[in-house]
Amino acid sequence: MIVAPSMLAANIKALPEEIEKINNSDASWIHLDIMDGAFVPNTSFDEDLVSKIRKLTTKFLDVHLMTFNPLALIERYKKAGADLITFHYEAEKDPLSVIRKIHANGIKAGISIKPQTKVEAIIEYLPFVDVVLVMSVEPGLGGQKFLTNAIAKVEELKKLKEIKKYPYLIEVDGGINQETAPLVKAKGCDVVVSGSYLFKALSFSKAVKVIS
């Protein structure tokens, strides 16, 4: 699986050193959660941090908008260096318009669902997205426990992908560690987001290998 370290768990005050850890590992993506304090209760990063990280790495920048009105943010994050912008199905009345605008900006588009949202809610958008992000915790806080209902969603998305020949990658975010990563991998997950497990490990590089 592709491993995407979550910068929510990193020490942002030591950003060059944290990015260097990622650069020297087998992790090929970097996951950046953008929180608006409205769609989720907390606030986090903005495009300035994405821009700073872009200057420190050639890794694939995976920007996850946990915000209302994602349409208004696409061009800002494209300019900052995002390779992929994922937005929440629950935050947008017209998801297809967001997908189209992301693609019009020349980057990959992802759609995310919260733990209580079923896969069937996004079936009509699956032919058009590059990534489907399954939240295995409630979005907005790092360090939460993995919710096992994500496993069945991964399995369902994998079956749909194979039957319909859809090209999307299946990504899981929340509570990913050495115990939970194999559970989603077994069902067809392509990308795992991990924060606390990686950044608290004695060896970042070894921890990446364990969950990949």
Side-chain angles (χ1 to χ4, degrees):
M1 291 186 293
I2 293 166
V3 176
S6 172
M7 293 306 293
L8 266 188
N11 178 6
I12 299 303
K13 290 178 182 176
L15 188 64
E17 293 82 0
E18 296 289 62
I19 297 300
E20 192 63 17
K21 272 191 222 172
I22 300 171
N23 285 342
N24 291 331
S25 77
D26 290 338
S28 51
W29 290 18
I30 297 176
H31 190 84
L32 290 138
D33 289 309
I34 312 301
M35 304 179 191
D36 64 358
F39 180 69
V40 291
N42 291 318
T43 57
S44 60
F45 310 135
D46 58 17
E47 66 266 33
D48 291 339
L49 184 74
V50 177
S51 186
K52 284 176 187 172
I53 291 173
R54 178 77 290 163
K55 292 175 179 135
L56 295 169
T57 189
T58 57
K59 303 280 188 183
F60 185 93
L61 295 190
D62 170 17
V63 171
H64 177 194
L65 299 179
M66 298 182 180
T67 68
F68 287 115
N69 196 17
L71 269 174
L73 301 174
I74 293 164
E75 285 166 1
R76 274 197 252 167
Y77 284 94
K78 151 73 176 177
K79 190 177 178 183
D83 295 296
L84 160 70
I85 294 177
T86 298
F87 69 99
H88 269 269
Y89 161 76
E90 302 88 356
E92 178 55 52
K93 289 179 181 174
D94 184 7
L96 203 52
S97 67
V98 183
I99 296 164
R100 285 175 175 151
K101 187 167 182 181
I102 295 169
H103 282 152
N105 275 271
I107 53 179
K108 294 187 182 299
I111 193 166
S112 182
I113 51 173
K114 288 182 175 184
Q116 298 309 313
T117 302
K118 294 180 179 177
V119 169
E120 65 191 48
I122 59 165
I123 280 179
E124 66 186 285
Y125 310 113
L126 296 181
F128 309 107
V129 292
D130 304 289
V131 172
V132 180
L133 173 55
V134 175
M135 291 302 299
S136 45
V137 296
E138 285 296 334
L141 284 171
Q144 296 180 71
K145 190 178 176 186
F146 179 84
L147 297 172
T148 56
N149 71 344
I151 299 168
K153 290 183 185 179
V154 171
E155 187 172 24
E156 188 177 351
L157 284 163
K158 178 71 172 176
K159 283 179 183 171
L160 285 165
K161 179 179 174 175
E162 289 177 344
I163 292 165
K164 301 286 190 179
K165 303 279 192 288
Y166 291 149
Y168 58 76
L169 296 176
I170 303 164
E171 183 174 11
V172 177
D173 179 5
I176 293 293
N177 55 35
Q178 75 276 24
E179 293 167 357
T180 56
L183 301 178
V184 294
K185 185 177 186 177
K187 299 300 182 183
C189 180
D190 303 294
V191 186
V192 280
V193 178
S194 182
S196 304
Y197 171 72
L198 293 179
F199 285 99
K200 289 180 181 177
L202 291 175
S203 168
F204 187 95
S205 289
K206 283 182 183 173
V208 168
K209 286 178 179 171
V210 167
I211 63 170
S212 65

